[in-house]
Structures are given as C-alpha cells and as structure tokens.
Amino acid sequence: MLQDPKRYTVTAALPYTNGPIHIGHLAGVYVPGDIYSRFLRLQGKDVAFICGSDEHGVAISMKAKKEGITPQEVIDKYHAIIKQSFEDFGISFDNYSRTSAKIHHETASEFFKKLYNEDKFIEEVTEQLYDEKADQFLADRFVTGTCPKCSHPDAYGDQCENCGTSLNATDLINPKSTITGTTPVLKSTKHWFLPLDQYDAFLREWILEGHKNDWKPNVYGQVKSWLEDGLKPRAVTRDLDWGIPVPVEGAEGKVLYVWFDAPIGYISSTKEWAAREGKDWEPYWKSADTKLVHFIGKDNIVFHCVIFPAMLKAEGSYIMPDNVPANEFLNLEGNKLSTSKNWAVWLHEYLQDFPGQQDVLRYSLTATAPETKDNDFTWKDFQARNNNELVAIFGNFINRVVVLTNKYYEGVVPAPNAYSDVDEATLTEMRAYPAVIASSIERYRFREALTELMNLARLGNKYLADEEPWKVIKEDPARVQTQMYVALQIAAALSVLSEPFLPFTAAKLKNMLAISEGSLNWDDISVKSDLLVAGSTIGQAELLFAKIEDETIQKQIDRLEATKTANKAENKKAEPQKDLIQYDDFAKMDIRTGTILEAEKMPKANKLLVLKVDTGIDVRTIVSGIAESFTPEEVVGKRVTVLVNLAPRALRGVESQGMILMTQNAEGKMVFVNPDTDGVGNGEVIS
C-alpha cells in the first residue's frame, strides 16, 4: 500500500454501450468509486476520477444486429443514456470519455505497436470457428454450445455463465453460430497473443506476496486461483469488422480484442482530461508517488489484476494498481440481475418514479453493497432505509435544528454560553467522526463508513432528545443558546461528511445552513472550533427526505412481478410429445362438458377442493387439486371439461368420480380447459 501519495488516479469500469445502466452497476462500481473520489477531494487531494464508454467488441455488434441498426448508432444511443445517468446520480467523474474517440484509437494503437515492435507478442496461425453461411469468423459471443466443464447447454464461446469457467470458443461441445444457427467449421487465421505465462513470477510476487494483507479476500482469492491454474497466452486480436484496426501489415480485417483495447481507455480518457485541464497526464500513470485504484465488479477481476497489469508490465513505463477493491454481485428481489430478461431497476426509469431522490437510492445501495459477498436489493428494504433512517434520523435531526433556530433566533446562529460536560463530550465525539469515517473509506469499507455517518446524525438526535431545548427555553433561554449552537455544529459537520455518500443532500444542507461551497473541508470538522460562526444567518427549513408510502413500493414490486410473468411466458417450452397411442386408446376416454355446482375445501388438505359437477349424465363428486389456484367461490358456475369414465378413487375418505381437465399458465397457476362454444350444454361428448 502506497503511503502518502502525491496524487490519485481512480478508475471505474468502462460500461458497455449496449444498454442503459441499472442498480447493479451503480452498487458494484460507480457509487463506491464516487464516494472514494469525493472523500479524497474533500481532503484536498489531487484526484483524477476516470471512466468512459466501452464501445467496441462483440456485445455492440450483437446489439446492432438485433436492433437492425449500425454499431455506431448503438454506441451513440447508449453512450448518451449512460452518461446522462451518471450525471443524474452525481457520479463525479473528472472525465467521461468513449473508446470510439480518436484519442483512444491513437493511444490503443500506439500501445499495441510498442509491444509489437519489442516482440512482446506471439504470432500464431490457429484454427478458429467460422460460419460458412455468414462468411465470417465467429467472435466468442457469436458462438454457443455445451460447456465442457459443467455440461450447461447454453455456454458462450468465452465463458460459461452457469459455472463461471473461462473458455475458448473451440472448447465448446456441439457449437452453434448465433448468427445463422448453423454448425461452424474450423478455419485457419493469424492472430497475436500476449504470453501471460511469462508474467507469472511477476504477478505472484506483486500480488500474492505484496498484497496479501491489503487486498480484499474475494479479489486476492480469485487471482490466486487463476495463477494456480496456470496462465496461458491470450489473443489480443480478433477477426471482426467493428473495433480498432490492428495497426500492422498483414492484419487486414482484424481488430484489437476488446479486453486489450478497453482498459487502455483509462489512459486515453486521462489524456483527454489532462489536455482539457492543461495538465501533464503522465504522472497520473507513470509516477511512483501516484496511487492507482480500479473500481470494478467481480466479473472484471481477472482483467484488472492479471491481464491489464501484464500489459502495463510489458510496456514498461506504467505503475501498477495499488488496489482493486472489486465488489461481488447485487441481486434484485432474490434473483440475479439480468439485462436480457429486464430483471433490473434502470436508473433512468427510477428517476421517473422517484424524482429528486437520487440520494435515497445511493444510500440504500451503499448500505446493502455486495462488498464481500453477493447481496440482495429489495424494495421493502429500500423503503425501510428511507423511512426509518434517512427520514427518521438524518432528516428529523436537521429539520428540528433549523426549525428551532428560526423559531428562537430568527435564523441567527446563537452565541454559546458556558459548556456543560454533555456539551463538551458531544463536540469531542463529533470531532472524532472524520477520522473514523476516513478509516473505513480508506479500507474500502463503504457500508461501515455510511453506518458511522448515520451514527453522527444519531448523536445529534440523542443530544436534542436528552437536552430538550423546547422545554428549557421557558426557564433558561441562555442555556438553550448553547444547546442550539452545539446542535448547529453537528448539522454543519453532517453537511460536509455526508457529501461523498449523499451529494445532493449535502448541497441542500449547505444551502440551508448558508455554508458556501468549499468553505469547509473534511479536516475542518475535527480542528475548527466554529463550523457555523455565532451571528451568521441560516436559511429556512427544507425537508431533506420524504416518507415513501406502501403503495409506491407496491407499484415497483408489481412491475417486477409482471416482468417475471412475461419472462416465464416467453421462455416457457411445451412439454415433449408423449408416446404414440392408437385411436382405440383415445376412443376409450369419455370426455364431456359440465358445470361446477358446488365447491368446498377438503379439511386438512391445502391443495384439494371437493366439487359437485353436473356432467349432463348425473351430478357427481370430483376431488380436484386446484385449491392453491382457486377459492371455492371462484369456481362455482365454471364450465369445465370432465373425464367421466375414470375409475373412482378415494381421496382422504371422499370418492372422486372423474377428473377435470386443467393446464398451467406461465405463473404456474392452474387454468380450466373449458368449453366456450355457445349453445353447448352439459353432457356433450368431446371427440
């Protein structure tokens, strides 16, 4: 771990521009990176917080084919949506670029050429999968097949999403082209490979020895596993028509593989920022006194801890990341987030339903961040954290302080009189919080840091509740001046310390307290005796947070349930045909139309209803396992289809004389197969 760095380069994983951003992205990468960067700036540190859109690779080509547009149209559309979402949620990038930019093409090409000229690549002719019908080589994501490790039938050519195994497309059993559905053939093609195995000793020393005590266990463990499995050369080029052309002779029709080009996007984005700001970009990537930190999700660990460092080491002039605090995955209501299945909370849609409540989502996602293991976002938890924490603790304290200051002193900060022991202890405790919160942030424990921030708000609430200035004002107004002064100092501290987590709330609070932007920094909370000076005037109270009602949350839950139902219907496959029967077998079945006359639940049986059914032949008792889908009242009068010549069977002491024909919908609910034809009475034969 680098001690007392001169500057910080903080990167956040480049999002693919093949779709908008959802809460999983925000929780896993962008809010943690933003908290860290904002915290550093409040300490007066030199920070470059860098990101940009990842606009090359197969994912873009696949999206373009699916939507019937060009790759350029895809990236332009989603780059704008993603960039706007980041701005809307206060993600404070110093530069947000894109890999289609000229400066990136130049930077990636130069990087490749330097390694090429220094013979850092292996040039090989290999056999790759080729779609003869489409007349093109198939990139990894254009191939699916059976995983050789877990036998999952729908593995991709680069990874099995069922077992997580990294694959080559040629590893797949029974591969199929996703473009034409045909079986591809093997065809020879030339590519360049980065010999990762040559960097094994370096990676072991740098990570396994150098970072065994300061990297997160999930990151360290995954890197250790990769190294123990043995590193192999990895292709840095691909046969594609979308991407950065390989800048050497004999490479026509080939582009830089996206995993090689994308991380260089951090460097090109830094160059873009530095040129705009009149800075030199190189110290942010090449000086030993710079701290480089990558914020990523766990699916990117191998690229940022093995492959990109090997690239930087091969180039020779770059520093290595000081830390890669990757998060695990965030689930949604117990299920894995899925872009393709629309099982997500999209940021642009969230703001339509919760306008002006960006900080509520930031708070909830930080409180449930998947820092050490996969975690779950639920709308009920989101509601509870807003109502029970932000509204009841943080918002309540600020509201009481500002309202009482305006009520008693017309908004003027009162001068304190003699401090009591409680006052002294409270102010001392308040001054300790910057160091406590900083310690958690510096160790990338953002959930822990957020808890400590809320503990400061709790301190303020407890102080007011115990001191009761609204009662003391009648007997000892001089004492209330001190009480309100102390409470206002806590409010001012919250306006600064909350900024990394709740930037919109912090801005509102500073405006309410008439604290000008930049007039207080992180360390001031510990050392300044007067955060709000006596005699200064604050503004009127403004609610920072609003209670979220049950109906609002239920709408979100209902929307997800509708998505789940739609997914089931879309993915529902008909059961395979049963064995062939003869006509005589079918003719033996006597199927009639009927009507349910009466219905009641079978005692001590959750699934069974006892029905009286008019079959046209007679009125008979039929026991049916439909009680979990229907109440007795719902089925009375229903037209039904009945197998009447089924041999009677005793169920819990009741003789059932037939069977009602049913099926299931996408939700798994039973549905009657009923005769809707007009003019058909009970007892008609179905043949």
Side-chain angles (χ1 to χ4, degrees):
M1 182 188 297
L2 182 62
Q3 300 297 323
D4 194 27
K6 187 174 181 179
R7 68 191 66 77
Y8 293 78
T9 302
V10 182
T11 73
L14 307 186
Y16 265 135
T17 45
N18 66 332
I21 294 290
H22 58 57
I23 58 169
H25 302 125
L26 208 60
V29 177
Y30 304 108
V31 165
D34 189 58
I35 291 171
Y36 186 70
S37 299
R38 285 177 177 274
F39 158 72
L40 292 174
R41 293 192 198 103
L42 282 167
Q43 290 192 311
K45 306 294 186 184
D46 182 358
V47 181
F49 185 23
I50 300 298
C51 194
S53 294
D54 183 357
E55 300 180 326
H56 298 137
V58 181
I60 308 301
S61 299
M62 291 177 74
K63 189 76 172 181
K65 286 181 183 295
K66 184 177 180 180
E67 296 189 6
I69 56 179
T70 66
Q72 187 67 46
E73 288 174 308
V74 170
I75 64 173
D76 288 345
K77 172 184 176 181
Y78 289 111
H79 171 75
I81 292 173
I82 292 169
K83 191 170 185 288
Q84 187 61 52
S85 290
F86 286 143
E87 291 173 3
D88 288 342
F89 279 84
I91 307 302
S92 59
F93 295 126
D94 289 292
N95 199 60
Y96 188 80
S97 189
R98 54 194 307 189
T99 60
S100 62
K102 181 182 178 184
I103 193 170
H104 175 69
H105 277 239
E106 292 172 349
T107 302
S109 296
E110 288 166 5
F111 199 105
F112 179 91
K113 281 191 286 189
K114 182 177 182 188
L115 270 58
Y116 176 84
N117 291 334
E118 294 177 358
D119 294 325
K120 297 295 177 67
F121 295 132
I122 299 170
E123 185 179 314
E124 284 188 8
V125 174
T126 62
E127 289 192 318
Q128 300 292 328
L129 295 179
Y130 187 83
D131 186 325
E132 292 180 306
K133 188 174 181 180
D135 192 23
Q136 69 177 73
F137 283 97
L138 295 173
D140 298 335
R141 286 272 159 166
F142 281 126
V143 188
T144 60
T146 300
C147 174
K149 189 159 186 177
C150 72
S151 299
H152 181 63
D154 296 315
Y156 288 107
D158 59 349
Q159 185 180 42
C160 175
E161 295 189 348
N162 184 58
C163 67
T165 300
S166 181
L167 301 169
N168 289 312
T170 50
D171 296 333
L172 293 175
I173 301 167
N174 299 323
K176 294 286 183 186
S177 166
T178 62
I179 300 174
T180 63
T182 60
T183 300
V185 298
L186 289 171
K187 187 174 179 179
S188 295
T189 182
K190 180 172 68 176
H191 284 293
W192 288 266
F193 293 75
L194 181 66
L196 292 177
D197 49 311
Q198 294 181 16
Y199 301 91
D200 181 87
F202 155 69
L203 292 167
R204 287 178 182 274
E205 181 181 355
W206 169 54
I207 300 175
L208 300 190
E209 295 301 320
H211 287 293
K212 65 170 68 174
N213 297 319
D214 64 322
W215 279 23
K216 293 171 69 171
N218 60 317
V219 178
Y220 186 88
Q222 193 176 130
V223 174
K224 190 170 186 288
S225 176
W226 264 77
L227 292 174
E228 288 177 350
D229 283 347
L231 299 178
K232 299 177 182 64
R234 193 175 180 104
V236 300
T237 58
R238 268 293 183 261
D239 291 291
L240 276 176
D241 57 1
W242 177 250
I244 299 174
V246 177
V248 296
E249 287 186 21
E252 291 73 21
K254 302 180 192 299
V255 299
L256 299 183
Y257 203 171
V258 68
W259 68 256
F260 182 87
D261 122 55
I264 297 172
Y266 299 138
I267 301 169
S268 60
S269 183
T270 307
K271 284 183 177 182
E272 190 176 76
W273 163 75
R276 186 181 69 242
E277 299 296 322
K279 292 175 176 281
D280 180 3
W281 73 271
E282 290 203 9
Y284 291 87
W285 280 95
K286 297 186 177 183
S287 290
D289 53 4
T290 296
K291 184 170 183 173
L292 172 62
V293 182
H294 295 310
F295 283 91
I296 59 169
K298 71 176 178 183
D299 53 338
N300 265 323
I301 290 174
V302 66
F303 296 104
H304 288 75
C305 299
V306 175
I307 297 172
F308 190 39
M311 291 166 55
L312 298 177
K313 183 70 173 174
E315 198 279 344
S317 66
Y318 287 84
I319 58 173
M320 294 296 131
D322 187 83
N323 212 313
V324 186
N327 275 349
E328 299 292 291
F329 288 150
L330 184 73
N331 296 323
L332 173 60
E333 298 286 354
N335 293 301
K336 184 179 177 180
L337 280 157
S338 173
T339 299
S340 61
K341 295 178 181 177
N342 196 30
W343 189 256
V345 177
W346 305 104
L347 300 193
H348 62 292
E349 291 183 356
Y350 170 88
L351 284 180
Q352 293 169 8
D353 296 334
F354 298 93
Q357 292 179 277
Q358 295 96 319
D359 278 351
V360 180
L361 187 59
R362 285 180 62 121
Y363 180 87
S364 180
L365 293 177
T366 304
T368 57
E371 291 181 348
T372 55
K373 61 181 182 179
D374 289 358
N375 214 341
D376 196 36
F377 175 89
T378 70
W379 281 111
K380 288 291 186 184
D381 180 72
F382 167 84
Q383 179 189 26
R385 290 191 182 280
N386 178 79
N387 294 352
N388 302 337
E389 297 172 23
L390 291 176
V391 173
I393 299 171
F394 195 119
N396 180 57
F397 169 67
I398 296 300
N399 188 61
R400 287 205 284 185
V401 171
V402 176
V403 166
L404 291 176
T405 302
N406 277 282
K407 180 178 179 181
Y408 299 154
Y409 313 112
E410 296 183 339
V412 177
V413 178
N417 295 300
Y419 288 138
S420 69
D421 289 345
V422 171
D423 300 335
E424 293 279 12
T426 300
L427 289 171
T428 299
E429 188 174 346
M430 178 198 78
R431 292 180 183 123
Y433 272 100
V436 171
I437 296 171
S439 175
S440 296
I441 292 177
E442 285 164 353
R443 290 175 292 137
Y444 312 103
R445 297 180 179 180
F446 303 111
R447 292 171 64 173
E448 183 179 276
L450 186 66
T451 298
E452 294 299 342
L453 174 71
M454 290 304 293
N455 284 340
L456 176 56
R458 289 184 176 95
L459 173 69
N461 261 330
K462 185 177 187 304
Y463 177 78
L464 284 182
D466 291 347
E467 294 298 299
E468 298 182 312
W470 47 87
K471 291 184 179 178
V472 178
I473 191 73
K474 298 171 186 175
E475 300 91 29
D476 192 353
R479 172 66 190 143
V480 173
Q481 285 183 221
T482 308
Q483 292 171 338
M484 293 310 302
Y485 177 84
V486 170
L488 283 162
Q489 302 311 303
I490 297 173
L494 283 170
S495 76
V496 175
L497 301 184
S498 67
E499 184 180 330
F501 310 92
L502 309 168
F504 299 95
T505 302
K508 284 183 188 175
L509 182 50
K510 285 175 185 172
N511 184 61
M512 220 185 298
L513 299 176
I515 297 173
S516 59
E517 194 63 45
S519 61
L520 287 176
N521 65 33
W522 192 271
D523 294 333
D524 287 340
I525 310 307
S526 298
V527 299
K528 258 194 169 183
S529 57
D530 300 300
L531 301 177
L532 275 181
V533 180
S536 59
T537 303
I538 67 170
Q540 294 295 315
E542 176 186 349
L543 284 180
L544 295 178
F545 307 100
K547 187 179 179 183
I548 297 174
E549 302 296 340
D550 291 345
E551 307 85 69
T552 302
I553 294 301
Q554 193 58 50
K555 285 180 182 177
Q556 300 301 323
I557 294 172
D558 290 346
R559 177 185 291 173
L560 287 174
E561 285 302 314
T563 296
K564 188 181 290 185
T565 300
N567 285 336
K568 284 181 179 178
E570 185 176 336
N571 298 322
K572 188 176 174 66
K573 294 180 180 178
E575 292 187 18
Q577 178 180 299
K578 294 180 180 179
D579 292 341
L580 291 174
I581 63 171
Q582 301 302 316
Y583 175 78
D584 290 345
D585 297 320
F586 172 74
K588 290 177 183 178
M589 293 189 291
D590 191 350
I591 304 173
R592 307 270 183 141
T593 56
T595 302
I596 298 175
L597 303 177
E598 300 174 18
E600 62 181 4
K601 288 204 72 171
M602 171 80 79
K604 299 180 181 180
N606 294 331
K607 295 183 178 180
L608 301 179
L609 289 183
V610 180
L611 312 174
K612 293 287 186 185
V613 182
D614 181 353
T615 67
I617 307 168
D618 52 26
V619 174
R620 63 177 68 185
T621 299
I622 296 177
V623 180
S624 184
I626 60 173
E628 291 182 335
S629 296
F630 300 98
T631 64
E633 294 76 18
E634 286 178 307
V635 301
V636 172
K638 282 277 187 187
R639 300 295 311 281
V640 292
T641 305
V642 188
L643 179 61
V644 295
N645 65 334
L646 185 66
R649 181 184 177 192
L651 295 170
R652 291 184 176 265
V654 177
E655 186 175 74
S656 180
Q657 301 170 306
M659 179 179 289
I660 293 176
L661 304 191
M662 310 288 294
T663 188
Q664 283 186 327
N665 64 13
E667 296 173 276
K669 182 180 177 181
M670 304 299 288
V671 178
F672 288 102
V673 178
N674 55 353
D676 283 336
T677 309
D678 292 337
V680 176
N682 294 335
E684 298 296 339
V685 176
I686 297 174
S687 59

